[in-house]
Amino acid sequence: VICSVVMIALIIERAVTLRKASTDAEGLLEDIREVYQPGGDTAAALGVAANNGAIGRIFSRGLRNAARDPDVIEMAMEHEAANEMPSLEANLPIIKTIVNISPLLGLLGTIAGMITSFQAASQQGLSNPTQILGGISEALISTATGITLAVVGFLAHNYFSNFVRKMVEDTE
């Protein structure tokens, strides 16, 4: 249950954060080109880049250094991009960890349910199959829950990882 709640919270957090961070890099570059004149004032271009997520912040860093050498501009933008990457990849390792431990926790529940079933069988004999089958049912529910959580988390992790990878490619 704890893993389920944490997983749902992290999936929602990643979806909201990555949605805010995503921007059409090519479109933003065209918008900046329309308002920026080399050697001129960068205020209008900074305004265009301002609220456009990670890529907008990278462009802003380059625009603030526009009067410098191209190597300095590139280095400043690379530095800003390196600063943005951890926020894009945040919480993905936690989701992956939950994906890895959920089936194991499900199996732990299965073992606990089977122990309960065997204890009932050893104390009452096989004359009361209802109690034994109840323990087996409990065991199978925990296994199914663990595997379901792992599958959902695996899908979410892959989606977000690919989304981040695409954003990194756009940034580059």
Side-chain angles (χ1 to χ4, degrees):
V1 172
I2 292 171
C3 287
S4 298
V5 171
V6 171
M7 175 86 76
I8 290 168
L10 292 176
I11 288 172
I12 292 170
E13 182 273 334
R14 284 288 82 201
V16 170
T17 301
L18 293 178
R19 180 163 163 68
K20 287 180 184 177
S22 67
T23 301
D24 176 27
E26 295 296 325
L28 179 59
L29 181 59
E30 290 302 318
D31 292 344
I32 290 172
R33 283 183 178 159
E34 288 176 8
V35 296
Y36 177 69
Q37 298 299 322
D41 186 25
T42 60
L46 283 169
V48 170
N51 294 319
N52 283 293
I55 294 174
R57 288 188 289 275
I58 293 167
F59 278 133
S60 293
R61 179 58 93 71
L63 288 167
R64 284 193 295 273
N65 290 285
R68 300 174 131 185
D69 282 344
D71 291 339
V72 174
I73 296 170
E74 183 178 354
M75 187 183 311
M77 291 177 75
E78 286 175 357
H79 182 68
E80 187 67 30
N83 289 340
E84 292 293 332
M85 291 309 123
S87 67
L88 295 176
E89 296 172 343
N91 294 329
L92 289 179
I94 298 171
I95 293 173
K96 190 171 185 175
T97 300
I98 292 173
V99 166
N100 289 332
I101 66 169
S102 293
L104 298 175
L105 292 173
L107 289 173
L108 183 62
T110 299
I111 292 168
M114 296 304 284
I115 288 171
T116 302
S117 295
F118 288 132
Q119 282 179 341
S122 68
Q123 291 173 355
Q124 298 175 0
L126 297 176
S127 62
N128 187 2
T130 305
Q131 191 169 11
I132 296 169
L133 292 176
I136 294 172
S137 173
E138 176 186 325
L140 293 176
I141 288 171
S142 68
T143 302
T145 303
I147 292 172
T148 302
L149 184 61
V151 168
V152 170
F154 183 75
L155 293 173
H157 183 270
N158 281 345
Y159 175 78
F160 293 136
S161 294
N162 288 331
F163 193 88
V164 168
R165 184 183 46 76
K166 183 184 177 304
M167 287 184 69
V168 168
E169 288 173 2
D170 287 348
T171 301
E172 291 174 355

